[in-house]
Amino acid sequence: MKWNKESLGTYSPNDIEMKWYDFWEQNGYFHQDADPSRKPFSIVMPPPNVTGQLHMGHALDNTLQDILIRFKRMEGYNVAWIPGTDHAGIATQVKVEQQLAKEEGKTRYDIGREEFLKRVWAWKEQYGNRIEQQVRRLGSSCDWSRKRFTMDDICARAVREVFVSLYEKGLIYQGQRITNWCPQCHTALSDIEVDHSDVQGHLWYVKYPVVGEDDYIMIATTRPETIMGDTAVAVNPEDERMKRFIGKKVVIPLVNREVEVIADDYVDIGFGTGAVKITPAHDPNDFEMGQRHNLESIMIMNLDGTMNAEAGAKYEGMTREDCRKAVVADLEELGLLDHVEELNHAVGHCSRCKTTVEPFSTKQWFVKMKPLTTAALKAVADKETQFVPDRFVKTYNHWLEDVHDWCISRQLWWGHQIPAWYCDDCGETSVSRTDLTECPHCHSKHIHQDPDVLDTWFSSALWPFSTMGWPDTTEDIKQFFPTSVLVTGYDIIFFWVARMMFTTCEFMKDVPFRHVFIHGLVRDSQGRKMSKSLGNGIDPLGVCEEYGADALRFTLVTGNTPGNDMRFYMERVEANRNFANKIWNASKFVIMNLTDYDETFVPEESDLTLADRWILTSFNDTVRKVTADFDNFELGDAADAVYNFIWNSYCDWYIELAKQRLYKSEDERSKRTVQYVLVYVLTHTLEMLHPFMPFVTEHLWQHLPHEGESLIVAPWPQAQSHWDFAADAATMNTLMEAIKGIRNMRAESNVPMGKKAPVIMAPATDDMAKTLKTYESYFHTLAFADHVTLLAPGEAKPENAVVTVVPGIEVYLQLKDLIDVEKETARVHKEQEKMGKEIERLNKKLSNQGFLAKAPADVVEKEKAKLADYTEKMAALTKRLEDLAKL
């Protein structure tokens, strides 16, 4: 048996936390080789972007993963937790471009692609390393020897293999399609990289003259600046008002282009006038309609969002906003603007730079999604992968069932460059797993690689298997794939989870993970999302420095229920630091009383007192509950169970009862027994708490008698059936209820803490009478009883005493000699007077019709709840006066 017998000193998390992290890492406890003889448990860390530092969401994500990993490691599983970072395409490129502009006044084009990429790699080294250190500070016990980056050689090989394979299967293609385009980032975006928010806009009603008639068709548009790109007007064939226009031609205002009025059932009869302008190059729905009707597609904007020559000489070079103003003014001058309505409508913005997105018809690379979604939907339907909670299956299914082809090309420099080469001589496109130096078709050397890169989600979609060395069949893949659980937030189910599912099902013919453990967002104390704009973000590393990582971790997990958002309160972090301090002081107490500890002593069952049997039984019950909660991903409930056992059962009850046997007992065997129970329960409870608060538990465990080198690899505690004493535990709980009843009566009567009182009890049975007699000392120790009187059956109950009743016992406390009745009566009268004024004020307020009519419903309800509370307190004060009058 080992233990560090040095003095514990004062709890200071900063003094111990990094010490133990270094100890674990240097001793290789985070790494385990693939071992087919053991049951595997694996997690791939959702890779944080290399664009900055970790936020509270990362802290929650990493804490939940680490808790599961530490638990399974202690359970004896063959564990692998693979960490890594994501190159984060647009986000990282924008950061480096901003830095380049600020420090050197240059753009990426000024320094060229090769030099720019050197700058981005330097950025990645700086911030990627910083993120690693931050993950360490949180206590994450991931295997750094397996760390990956989405653009390292291993992941890059997997990306190219997947791209080429999908291309060869006809599932990747190049096409001219409408995509979301960011004029600021100069790249296409996928649908889920666009944030839609309501803005106050307008609906302009414009007259399109009918060719050869003194008539016009009225259209309503939110985007008059795109009129110059119109190539048709469409109406619904079932719209009786519009049927007469079908097949006729109208003149597009400002450009005088004659176009046909077409019929298409996509047109909403109830919106606007029932007629819509069709601009195939600048609207995704118009593009589809243009495809159906073979309409011309006219691009009237440049890629930076300014108007081009197709918009007309007057508007060329204008911004979208300036062009809109000019077009509206010109329409009004021509008498073609009928009227304008206010309209609140959703507008798409780039999720990175917040610029208004422009739908553009451009040539891009796409993945055909429909052939890939079937297996991914079936895997979840068949519960090969299970969501926790399962309500998020709806979110997953909804996206995959309605998915469009995925635009995977981005007009960026930072990312996986698309492995496609164009021949300048024969015009062929060649896709290859290896870099090409000549055209495979005509052998010309005049070839160039596609300058675009892949969407950052393309590489992260392969994360569960690319991190393990695929396409090679590695030992890690054989042992650790599929992974056991993915821990992630509900906000990226469609961004990332669904994409990992369909790519993995396609290439591994299996699911990427058996469970998807969904957590919510970490919000501020007011329930708001943490953001830079609100200035309400809290730096998890700052919290670690002030209160310790253990306190932060415990706060994040105890406030957490699967799938739900949680509010973050600094007061709770402080309270959990106090909890760590409570454990520290309890351990310090135990260690101080082990000077003559006999490591070989094991008590017989007959040595155990009622309190011993109760704490051992409670410990067993807690181990069983916590283990079951872990298996069900109820980590918050598990943490609460450990907390309540340590604080309430072990510290507040058992340690207090142990003191008399440690200090005063002349029975050597009794002392050895209580030492054994104190150490047994504490060391194994520290093991149970370890996944949640790894640092303080390791430190304390090392200072207690224990087996093994480190708590991180100690066996998970097991409930020992020979230490189960259900009947004795129930008896002890009854005594505790009686003691709590005495404490409450003393508190309500303002009996001074140190003043002992006589306690009279009327047991309901002879067995209870024997128990109370045997354990009378518990009432002296924990209820401040100077003597205990047991009433015989039928013996008169004391008068002028307060009473509490628990199952099997009536407990009486005579207060006459314990309090100054006159003084206490005066205090209660004063409290009554104060309470009466508050009740009167609230009654007046709630009978005021003006207040009830104007005040928000929640304010009214709060006032009603306050009145009910005060009324209840007033009744208690009245009862208190009645009791005092009897003394």
Side-chain angles (χ1 to χ4, degrees):
M1 187 163 286
K2 303 172 182 178
W3 48 311
N4 180 352
K5 298 183 181 181
E6 293 175 7
S7 172
L8 272 180
T10 305
Y11 175 54
S12 173
N14 285 328
D15 291 341
I16 66 167
E17 293 192 339
M18 290 318 294
K19 164 193 167 183
W20 287 112
Y21 196 93
D22 292 342
F23 170 79
W24 295 324
E25 194 170 1
Q26 288 164 12
N27 282 279
Y29 293 133
F30 299 161
H31 175 80
Q32 294 180 7
D33 291 329
D35 181 355
S37 69
R38 294 162 64 198
K39 195 171 181 180
F41 184 86
S42 57
I43 295 177
V44 288
M45 179 186 291
N49 294 346
V50 291
T51 51
Q53 63 182 40
L54 300 186
H55 53 65
M56 201 56 80
H58 292 121
L60 171 61
D61 213 62
N62 276 280
T63 294
L64 296 176
Q65 291 172 78
D66 191 50
I67 288 169
L68 291 170
I69 283 289
R70 287 179 184 271
F71 168 64
K72 289 297 182 181
R73 187 187 287 122
M74 294 176 76
E75 276 204 316
Y77 282 71
N78 187 198
V79 166
W81 182 14
I82 302 173
T85 49
D86 194 301
H87 67 281
I90 294 177
T92 305
Q93 178 159 317
V94 166
K95 289 277 188 185
V96 179
E97 286 191 87
Q98 289 171 345
Q99 186 184 57
L100 187 62
K102 184 179 178 182
E103 295 178 3
E104 300 178 42
K106 294 180 180 178
T107 69
R108 59 179 160 128
Y109 302 103
D110 293 329
I111 63 173
R113 185 169 189 147
E114 186 176 346
E115 177 59 28
F116 180 76
L117 289 178
K118 284 182 185 176
R119 306 287 182 96
V120 188
W121 276 107
W123 172 281
K124 179 264 171 186
E125 288 305 310
Q126 178 184 352
Y127 287 97
N129 291 339
R130 186 171 82 173
I131 285 167
E132 279 186 25
Q133 294 310 312
Q134 291 171 337
V135 171
R136 283 177 163 88
R137 185 67 185 87
L138 292 167
S140 303
S141 59
C142 43
D143 184 354
W144 294 108
S145 70
R146 285 186 167 101
K147 73 175 179 179
R148 292 284 175 260
F149 176 54
T150 48
M151 283 180 61
D152 65 22
D153 291 343
I154 290 173
C155 292
R157 183 170 167 233
V159 166
R160 188 168 285 200
E161 176 62 34
V162 166
F163 184 95
V164 176
S165 178
L166 289 175
Y167 180 81
E168 289 171 346
K169 294 175 182 177
L171 295 177
I172 280 183
Y173 65 94
Q174 203 174 19
Q176 188 83 14
R177 294 275 304 275
I178 279 277
T179 56
N180 303 296
W181 182 269
C182 177
Q184 178 68 34
C185 297
H186 290 260
T187 182
L189 305 171
S190 66
D191 289 344
I192 55 179
E193 290 172 305
V194 178
D195 296 331
H196 289 89
S197 55
D198 285 347
V199 298
Q200 189 58 48
H202 298 88
L203 196 59
W204 284 271
Y205 286 78
V206 183
K207 299 172 183 176
Y208 281 42
V210 179
V211 175
E213 295 182 20
D214 185 18
D215 199 359
Y216 60 83
I217 190 168
M218 184 90 75
I219 63 96
T221 180
T222 59
R223 306 194 64 208
E225 70 275 14
T226 63
I227 282 175
M228 296 79 76
D230 291 354
T231 54
V233 168
V235 299
N236 191 298
E238 303 303 317
D239 189 343
E240 294 298 330
R241 302 167 301 165
M242 296 294 171
K243 280 185 176 179
R244 63 189 177 90
F245 291 112
I246 296 171
K248 294 183 178 180
K249 293 202 170 182
V250 295
V251 177
I252 303 299
L254 307 177
V255 291
N256 297 319
R257 181 187 306 120
E258 293 186 5
V259 301
E260 189 176 346
V261 178
I262 60 174
D264 196 295
D265 57 14
Y266 172 79
V267 179
D268 182 355
I269 295 173
F271 180 76
T273 65
V276 295
K277 59 194 274 316
I278 306 302
T279 322
H282 292 280
D283 182 279
N285 298 314
D286 292 4
F287 178 84
E288 298 294 336
M289 214 180 297
Q291 294 281 296
R292 289 196 292 274
H293 296 274
N294 296 313
L295 299 177
E296 185 182 3
S297 182
I298 304 172
M299 280 274 287
I300 61 168
M301 289 184 203
N302 300 308
L303 296 180
D304 63 358
T306 58
M307 312 308 290
N308 65 21
E310 292 287 352
K314 178 174 181 179
Y315 309 115
E316 186 177 3
M318 286 185 180
T319 65
R320 292 173 290 176
E321 295 77 17
D322 289 342
C323 182
R324 176 178 293 182
K325 292 174 186 174
V327 165
V328 169
D330 290 345
L331 289 171
E332 195 164 16
E333 187 177 338
L334 291 168
L336 297 177
L337 182 63
D338 189 80
H339 67 285
V340 184
E341 290 178 359
E342 297 283 327
L343 179 70
N344 194 286
H345 64 126
V347 174
H349 298 85
C350 172
S351 62
R352 293 298 174 191
C353 71
K354 309 309 177 189
T355 301
T356 300
V357 167
E358 188 64 47
F360 271 174
S361 175
T362 54
K363 195 174 185 181
Q364 302 288 348
W365 290 89
F366 296 88
V367 174
K368 287 183 183 176
M369 290 301 300
K370 288 297 181 186
L372 296 170
T373 58
T374 304
L377 286 164
K378 185 176 186 298
V380 172
D382 293 347
K383 297 191 181 302
E384 292 177 56
T385 292
Q386 296 181 53
F387 279 76
V388 180
D390 64 2
R391 68 177 184 270
F392 288 102
V393 170
K394 289 181 182 176
T395 306
Y396 172 84
N397 287 345
H398 177 73
W399 190 75
L400 282 178
E401 287 165 355
D402 296 336
V403 73
H404 300 292
D405 285 358
W406 175 16
C407 175
I408 55 171
S409 47
R410 297 291 181 270
Q411 288 62 54
L412 304 170
W413 288 353
W414 173 242
H416 293 276
Q417 195 168 346
I418 290 173
W421 283 261
Y422 306 113
C423 181
D424 300 330
D425 291 332
C426 74
E428 288 289 341
T429 298
S430 303
V431 169
S432 173
R433 289 174 175 82
T434 57
D435 288 353
L436 297 180
T437 55
E438 67 173 40
C439 174
H441 302 279
C442 70
H443 303 291
S444 166
K445 303 289 185 183
H446 301 132
I447 64 171
H448 64 279
Q449 188 175 355
D450 192 313
D452 290 353
V453 300
L454 290 166
D455 176 10
T456 191
W457 296 101
F458 191 93
S459 52
S460 53
L462 320 182
W463 195 243
F465 56 92
S466 67
T467 51
M468 294 189 193
W470 184 89
D472 293 335
T473 306
T474 64
E475 293 304 310
D476 276 5
I477 286 177
K478 290 178 189 174
Q479 176 68 355
F480 295 117
F481 185 87
T483 63
S484 307
V485 59
L486 173 75
V487 180
T488 191
Y490 60 68
D491 52 334
I492 59 171
I493 289 173
F494 39 81
F495 271 109
W496 191 41
V497 178
R499 285 175 170 163
M500 284 189 285
M501 284 293 292
F502 68 70
T503 52
T504 307
C505 287
E506 174 69 18
F507 287 94
M508 304 300 288
K509 305 307 176 188
D510 204 340
V511 294
F513 19 72
R514 296 300 180 197
H515 288 92
V516 182
F517 178 24
I518 298 291
H519 60 75
L521 302 177
V522 183
R523 298 184 177 274
D524 70 8
S525 58
Q526 298 176 46
R528 301 173 302 175
K529 187 175 180 178
M530 292 185 182
S531 68
K532 287 180 182 176
S533 59
L534 288 174
N536 63 342
I538 299 172
D539 176 14
L541 280 302
V543 177
C544 289
E545 289 305 309
E546 186 171 358
Y547 296 102
D550 282 331
L552 173 62
R553 290 166 62 109
F554 207 71
T555 301
L556 290 170
V557 71
T558 49
N560 187 276
T561 52
N564 293 333
D565 292 349
M566 62 168 289
R567 293 192 180 192
F568 188 85
Y569 298 91
M570 289 304 298
E571 295 85 352
R572 290 188 58 244
V573 183
E574 188 172 358
N576 286 320
R577 187 199 183 281
N578 294 341
F579 173 54
N581 197 56
K582 179 97 169 176
I583 305 162
W584 184 279
N585 288 334
S587 301
K588 198 171 184 178
F589 166 80
V590 172
I591 291 163
M592 285 167 55
N593 285 281
L594 297 181
T595 51
D596 57 348
Y597 181 67
D598 182 355
E599 297 175 11
T600 63
F601 177 82
V602 178
E604 301 290 335
E605 186 177 321
S606 58
D607 293 319
L608 302 175
T609 65
L610 184 68
D612 296 334
R613 292 164 185 253
W614 163 75
I615 197 68
L616 289 166
T617 305
S618 298
F619 171 76
N620 278 345
D621 291 344
T622 305
V623 170
R624 292 185 183 105
K625 174 174 170 41
V626 170
T627 306
D629 284 339
F630 264 110
D631 291 338
N632 293 320
F633 297 97
E634 294 290 352
L635 304 190
D637 287 353
D640 284 338
V642 181
Y643 176 94
N644 288 326
F645 176 76
I646 292 173
W647 192 293
N648 299 323
S649 301
Y650 188 79
C651 294
D652 285 358
W653 288 92
Y654 187 72
I655 282 181
E656 291 306 312
L657 289 170
K659 286 177 180 176
Q660 191 172 21
R661 291 159 74 195
L662 289 169
Y663 299 159
K664 299 176 183 178
S665 176
E666 295 178 4
D667 182 343
E668 190 65 24
R669 193 166 183 86
S670 176
K671 184 176 182 182
R672 294 270 179 250
T673 299
V674 75
Q675 285 178 326
Y676 174 88
V677 175
L678 281 167
V679 170
Y680 172 85
V681 174
L682 181 56
T683 53
H684 292 313
T685 301
L686 289 172
E687 290 161 5
M688 194 161 41
L689 181 62
H690 178 72
F692 305 104
M693 304 179 90
F695 297 112
V696 70
T697 51
E698 177 76 70
H699 191 82
L700 296 174
W701 188 83
Q702 294 283 357
H703 280 75
L704 286 158
H706 64 270
E707 300 289 346
E709 296 298 324
S710 176
L711 176 51
I712 193 174
V713 287
W716 181 252
Q718 302 295 313
Q720 302 296 330
S721 58
H722 65 281
W723 289 146
D724 274 331
F725 307 100
D728 292 313
T731 299
M732 181 66 188
N733 283 325
T734 300
L735 299 190
M736 289 165 64
E737 286 301 311
I739 290 166
K740 282 188 268 188
I742 295 167
R743 288 175 175 178
N744 289 339
M745 288 189 288
R746 288 175 61 95
E748 289 167 6
S749 303
N750 285 328
V751 177
M753 281 294 292
K755 200 164 189 178
K756 294 202 168 186
V759 173
I760 301 167
M761 290 188 281
T765 64
D766 289 343
D767 284 344
M768 182 57 73
K770 288 176 186 175
T771 299
L772 292 173
K773 188 68 178 170
T774 304
Y775 296 104
E776 181 182 320
S777 62
Y778 291 5
F779 291 86
H780 294 299
T781 303
L782 298 172
F784 302 103
D786 58 357
H787 65 266
V788 176
T789 302
L790 299 181
L791 299 179
E795 191 173 348
K797 309 290 171 65
E799 296 180 2
N800 303 332
V802 287
V803 62
T804 189
V805 179
V806 297
I809 317 169
E810 291 177 16
V811 186
Y812 297 89
L813 197 61
Q814 290 182 312
L815 300 173
K816 190 169 185 180
D817 299 326
L818 297 175
I819 60 173
D820 184 326
V821 175
E822 189 176 331
K823 192 174 178 181
E824 178 65 8
T825 302
R827 186 193 69 80
V828 174
H829 274 303
K830 192 172 181 181
E831 189 69 23
Q832 259 194 335
E833 186 181 348
K834 181 180 170 185
M835 199 67 66
K837 287 178 181 177
E838 281 299 304
I839 291 171
E840 184 181 0
R841 181 185 68 79
L842 286 167
N843 274 323
K844 281 182 181 176
K845 195 172 186 179
L846 291 167
S847 61
N848 183 331
Q849 293 305 312
F851 168 74
L852 295 175
K854 294 177 182 177
D858 62 326
V859 172
V860 175
E861 287 306 311
K862 279 180 185 175
E863 295 298 277
K864 286 181 178 178
K866 211 182 284 183
L867 177 60
D869 182 46
Y870 287 164
T871 304
E872 187 179 329
K873 286 178 179 176
M874 179 64 91
L877 290 170
T878 302
K879 174 68 168 61
R880 176 82 180 115
L881 285 174
E882 290 171 2
D883 290 340
L884 286 167
K886 296 174 184 176
L887 299 179

